[in-house]
Amino acid sequence: MSNIEVLPLLETASDDVAPCCPPLTERPFTAEEAETAARMFKALGDPVRLRLFSAVASHEGGEACVCDISDVGVSQPTVSHHLKKLKEAGLLTSERRGTWVYYRVEPSVLAAMGKLLTSAPGAA
């Protein structure tokens, strides 16, 4: 099916992750950081998008064909629209293979999101 190897999140070294923004508790966001984080959270703020993101992230092998993740209660064109929004927000990457598009969540994206929501070192 695919010869692309996706590394598990736990093997991602924390120093290799470039989060969009500092942890929320570290300092106030700049305007640019706030825009980037808001775009990401806005994309995940829709229940259908959150389900699609979860379906891709939890799919065996770390990637999912659009044909495998379309059962979220909306039409196929709407699924494609939501996947496009997730991709524009930087949460998904995609690759066309023949007639199908495969989506994946890069481990660094999940790690960066986790860093954003954690306390800064030394924060109470």
Side-chain angles (χ1 to χ4, degrees):
M1 189 175 199
S2 170
N3 58 3
I4 295 175
E5 181 180 348
V6 178
L7 300 175
L9 178 60
L10 295 176
E11 292 182 17
T12 302
S14 60
D15 294 339
D16 295 341
V17 176
C20 71
C21 317
L24 290 170
T25 57
E26 184 177 299
R27 62 170 172 75
F29 283 173
T30 65
E32 184 179 331
E33 290 167 340
E35 285 289 329
T36 301
R39 190 171 32 256
M40 177 182 65
F41 286 117
K42 182 177 180 180
L44 291 175
D46 181 281
V48 172
R49 288 185 199 147
L50 189 55
R51 286 185 67 199
L52 288 168
F53 184 77
S54 174
V56 172
S58 64
H59 201 270
E60 184 179 335
E63 69 176 5
C65 174
V66 69
C67 61
D68 294 330
I69 56 171
S70 59
D71 187 23
V72 291
V74 296
S75 67
Q76 183 59 46
T78 303
V79 167
S80 295
H81 166 77
H82 287 302
L83 289 169
K84 177 183 174 188
K85 292 295 184 183
L86 290 167
K87 190 174 171 185
E88 288 172 351
L91 297 170
L92 294 179
T93 59
S94 67
E95 178 183 348
R96 179 172 292 281
R97 298 182 200 149
T99 58
W100 296 112
V101 177
Y102 287 78
Y103 289 89
R104 73 186 143 279
V105 178
E106 297 296 335
S108 61
V109 170
L110 293 176
M113 289 172 65
K115 279 190 162 191
L116 172 66
L117 297 173
T118 60
S119 295

